C-alpha cells in the first residue's frame, strides 16, 4: 500500500459533467485507476494505506449536488480513515444493469481484487442501494449498507411499485439480478428505510434474511441518504456498520440528530396534526421555536394558542 492519500481539497464543485469526470480520472490515475464501462458507467479506484475497502455506488448527479465537496462519498473516509475506495458511477439512475458492469466485476473476481483487503464494505442508496446489494456477491463475507434499496424491478414481483415503470423493459433476472439473494453471501447487511414510505418498506421486507438487519428511519423524508448526510451521521453509520456495531440501539442514538433537522421536525408536526393532537402539536412548535428561527412553527404555535384560548372562553360562556 502507498502513503496516505491527500486530495480532499481538490476543487470539484461547479464543474460540467465532462470536466468533473476528467478531474476524477486525474485523481484516480494518480492514486489508483479509472475506467469507463460503456456509455453510462465508470469505475474509480483510489488506494490508500488501510486494508479496508469501501465500494460505493453513486450517480454523477447526486455527487455534484453534494454542496460541500462535489466528490464521491468515499473520499471523506479515504481522507479520515485511510480506507481504499472503489466508486462505481452511473450517469443517471441505471440500477447498474449493464453487461459492461457485470464484466468489470467478473474481472475483479478473477483477479482476486477483493482478496487483497481484510474488510470490504458495499454502500449505496435507492437504485444504488440495489446495486450495492446485488454486486456484493462478488466479495463473499463483505458488509453491505443499503439505504431504501429496491430488491428488484422485475414486474412479476414488484408490479405494485409504479415509480420506475420506465425500467420494466430492463432485465432484473439475469446475472447479479435479485438483490436479496445476492446479499446471502454477505457477512452482514444493513437495510435502512423509512417505514412511512410504503413502497420502500415493501422492498425492505423482501431483504429479510438471517444476516440482514432492517433499520427504520421514520420521517427523514423521501431522500434518506441526503437526510442522514445533512444530519452528519451518514459516515458514522457506515463506520459502525463496517465494525459490526450498527444495531437498533446504536442507530437510534445516531438518529437523535434529527432533533436538529427541520425536515424531520416538519414531518413530526404533520403527524401530530394528522392525528388531531393539538396538545402534541403545541409541544412540537414550542420546542422548535425555542431553538430555531422557524416562522412556520411560530405561526402554528400562535394559531394553536389562540384556539386554546377561544375554547376556554367558550366553555366559560356556556
Amino acid at each position: 500500500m502507498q502513503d496516505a492519500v491527500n486530495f480532499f481539497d481538490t476543487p470539484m464543485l461547479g464543474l460540467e459533467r465532462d470536466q468533473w469526470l476528467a478531474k476524477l480520472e486525474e485523481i484516480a490515475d494518480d492514486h489508483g485507476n479509472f475506467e469507463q464501462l460503456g456509455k453510462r458507467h465508470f469505475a474509480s479506484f483510489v488506494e490508500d494505506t488501510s486494508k479496508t475497502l469501501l465500494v460505493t455506488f453513486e450517480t454523477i448527479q447526486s455527487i455534484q449536488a453534494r454542496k460541500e465537496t462535489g466528490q464521491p462519498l468515499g473520499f471523506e473516509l479515504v481522507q479520515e480513515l485511510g480506507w481504499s475506495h472503489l466508486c462505481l458511477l452511473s450517469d443517471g439512475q441505471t440500477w447498474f444493469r449493464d453487461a459492461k458492469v457485470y464484466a468489470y466485476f467478473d474481472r475483479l473476481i478473477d483477479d482476486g481484487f477483493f482478496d487483497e483487503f481484510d474488510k470490504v464494505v458495499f454502500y449505496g442508496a435507492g437504485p444504488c442501494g440495489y446495486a450495492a446489494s446485488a454486486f456484493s456477491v462478488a466479495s463473499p463475507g463483505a458488509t453491505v449498507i443499503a439505504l431504501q434499496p429496491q430488491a428488484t424491478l422485475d414486474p412479476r414481483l414488484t408490479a405494485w411499485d409504479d415509480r420506475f415503470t420506465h425500467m420494466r423493459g430492463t432485465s432484473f433476472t439475469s446475472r447479479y439480478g435479485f438483490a436479496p439473494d445476492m446479499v446471502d453471501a454477505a457477512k452482514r447487511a444493513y437495510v435502512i428505510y423509512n417505514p412511512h414510505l410504503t413502497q420502500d418498506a415493501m422492498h425492505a421486507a423482501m431483504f429479510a434474511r438471517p444476516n440482514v438487519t432492517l433499520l427504520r428511519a421514520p420521517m427523514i423524508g423521501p431522500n434518506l441518504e441526503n437526510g442522514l448526510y445533512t444530519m452528519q451521521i451518514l459516515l458514522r453509520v457506515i463506520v459502525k456498520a463496517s465494525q459490526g456495531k450498527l444495531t437498533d440501539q446504536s442507530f437510534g442514538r445516531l438518529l437523535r440528530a434529527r432533533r436538529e433537522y427541520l425536515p424531520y421536525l416538519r414531518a413530526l408536526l404533520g403527524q401530530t396534526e394528522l392525528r388531531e393532537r393539538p396538545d402534541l402539536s403545541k409541544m412540537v412548535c414550542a420546542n422548535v421555536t425555542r431553538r430555531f428561527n422557524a416562522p412556520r412553527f411560530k405561526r402554528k404555535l400562535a394559531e394553536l394558542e389562540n384556539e386554546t384560548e377561544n375554547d376556554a372562553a367558550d366553555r366559560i360562556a356556556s
Side-chain angles (χ1 to χ4, degrees), residues 91-106:
D91 188 358
Q93 298 287 19
T94 67
W95 283 258
F96 293 83
R97 300 303 297 161
D98 189 309
K100 295 287 180 66
V101 179
Y102 311 160
Y104 178 72
F105 274 94
D106 290 345

Side-chain angles (χ1 to χ4, degrees), residues 77-318:
L77 293 173
V78 172
Q79 182 73 11
E80 294 184 22
L81 300 177
W83 289 7
S84 292
H85 178 225
L86 175 62
C87 181
L88 277 297
L89 282 169
S90 66
D91 188 358
Q93 298 287 19
T94 67
W95 283 258
F96 293 83
R97 300 303 297 161
D98 189 309
K100 295 287 180 66
V101 179
Y102 311 160
Y104 178 72
F105 274 94
D106 290 345
R107 178 153 41 93
L108 294 181
I109 295 169
D110 291 342
D111 292 344
F113 172 76
F114 296 109
D115 297 334
E116 297 177 10
F117 299 92
D118 295 336
K119 187 182 295 183
V120 180
V121 180
F122 283 76
Y123 167 82
C128 295
Y130 160 83
S133 303
F135 289 102
S136 68
V137 73
S139 180
T143 295
V144 180
I145 306 136
L147 274 57
Q148 57 188 134
Q150 291 78 51
T152 177
L153 293 183
D154 179 356
R156 294 174 300 176
L157 296 176
T158 58
W160 40 264
D161 193 340
D162 58 2
R163 298 172 297 178
F164 314 113
T165 54
H166 63 286
M167 291 295 294
R168 287 186 176 171
T170 301
S171 173
F172 281 80
T173 58
S174 57
R175 304 188 62 236
Y176 300 103
F178 187 57
D181 283 351
M182 301 299 101
V183 165
D184 281 346
K187 181 178 181 180
R188 61 179 71 91
Y190 302 92
V191 173
I192 305 174
Y193 67 101
N194 184 340
H196 295 160
L197 301 179
T198 301
Q199 291 161 321
D200 282 356
M202 291 170 72
H203 278 288
M206 297 174 74
F207 280 89
R209 297 287 195 280
N211 64 332
V212 177
T213 300
L214 301 178
L215 296 169
R216 296 155 56 94
M219 295 186 286
I220 303 298
N223 188 334
L224 188 53
E225 180 181 56
N226 183 68
L228 298 183
Y229 187 84
T230 303
M231 288 188 287
Q232 299 183 342
I233 64 172
L234 179 56
L235 299 185
R236 295 167 67 188
V237 166
I238 294 173
V239 172
K240 275 193 174 294
S242 75
Q243 298 170 333
K245 296 179 179 178
L246 190 62
T247 63
D248 284 327
Q249 292 74 25
S250 64
F251 185 61
R253 287 192 291 271
L254 289 173
L255 272 185
R256 290 174 185 170
R258 62 187 177 175
R259 299 172 182 174
E260 311 296 322
Y261 185 55
L262 280 172
Y264 164 74
L265 296 170
R266 286 193 288 267
L268 182 61
L269 176 60
Q271 285 293 310
T272 62
E273 292 183 304
L274 183 65
R275 297 175 184 178
E276 298 183 349
R277 292 294 305 275
D279 52 336
L280 293 179
S281 296
K282 279 205 298 185
M283 290 175 63
V284 171
C285 290
N287 178 277
V288 172
T289 54
R290 279 197 304 270
R291 298 183 294 121
F292 298 99
N293 178 21
R296 173 182 170 182
F297 287 88
K298 187 176 182 179
R299 289 194 300 270
K300 185 63 181 178
L301 180 59
E303 176 187 322
L304 290 167
E305 289 177 338
N306 186 56
E307 289 177 358
T308 300
E309 183 178 324
N310 289 339
D311 289 344
D314 288 344
R315 285 197 301 272
I316 293 173
S318 62

